[in-house]
Amino acid sequence: MLQSWRWFGPKDPISLTKIRQAGATGVVTALHEIPAGEVWPKAAIAERLRVLGAAGLGWSVVESLPVPTAVRLAEPGYEKYVERYIESLANLGELGVKRICYNFMPVIDWTRTDLSWRAPDGSVALRFESAAWVAFDVFILRRAGAEQEYSAAQLGAGQRHFDSLDAAGRERLVRTVAAGLPGANEDGYTLDGLRRELARWQDVSPDVLRRRLCAFLEAVVPVCERFDLRMCIHPDDPPRPLLGLPRIASCQMDFDALFAAVPSPVNGLTLCVGSLTAGRHNDASALVRHFAPRIHFAHLRSVLLEDDDSFVEADHLQGDADLVDVARVLIEEERRRQAAGVGHAEIAMRPDHGRVLEGDIGDLPGYPWLGRLKALAELRGMLHAIERLT
């Protein structure tokens, strides 16, 4: 597999030299300085390729080229944003960048309630606590009708969690949930701003959002086919309803419907094992076997689920998902493609949210240096063993 590392551009405290010394050969990055909805110019893409090439690295995956909210809401004039997206894809394709990771999550992107959960070994992990989420949704945000979406036990746990927080704790929870995490579609919200944004989505059902996603993909498929690009949708993270918003990339049924509606092979999947297995309904081993031909990019990480569907991001090889089995299937899929002469035979992978270790550097939640270095080393050893023994 193509071993990659996520890099947030020249301002990232983790240098390209460090990334290359970690053993990665590819970089997963984006032009974060360009606002969503604007065209990625060829000159800017070429400059990023030059910088990466000078460090001995390739641009393995774009993560991500954001889909503007206007497109997901089909607001008047949204077509111009689709046209700009198509132009950006053409520019990437002409310069040889072939994999595009994107998502269609509305309002909030990947979501956690605690960015500094202390593990027994002293490392710091990201955590989603169900009681904290209910406390935020029902008792802090006070979203209309929210209490009807939870059981009495969940509401009780949420109330107790809310009561346990002082003013600073409540403010920290607001910042964690609403302010936006690295790579998110939006720049974050205040509480009032989040309420206003949710109001824009009150009439958007899952079926409506799914139709808009299909329409978007149908519009970009021709340029993707022309340049042999792969659009790889990222699953909802976590794969469950949040804030009453439609979630349409959370399970096998969602992806089956998407690939049936837009059957072109350019319509692919980012297999984010951690995102998917944060939902008890998903089995990573079953999903990778079912969707192997559609997978062109993988986030190899895992989570530990708790009885109330809270979860914490585990060390990469110690979570609930069987990453060895997942990786074995991906390597078999690469071999199948190579034997069949299929393009894009190599599947790009990267370690995902690493734990913060003592002496770590990097201030973006989920993206420390040492935690990901450890994760990539573990994954590289795992992949090497699978390749030698199968």
Side-chain angles (χ1 to χ4, degrees), residues 59-101:
W59 192 346
S60 55
V61 183
V62 171
E63 185 178 357
S64 56
L65 183 57
V67 181
T69 297
V71 174
R72 286 173 279 156
L73 283 172
E75 293 178 330
Y78 78 92
E79 294 88 353
K80 68 182 179 183
Y81 294 110
V82 176
E83 291 168 2
R84 292 173 185 173
Y85 203 99
I86 290 170
E87 186 176 347
S88 296
L89 288 173
N91 291 343
L92 286 163
E94 285 184 17
L95 293 174
V97 185
K98 298 296 185 180
R99 302 176 189 87
I100 315 297
C101 174

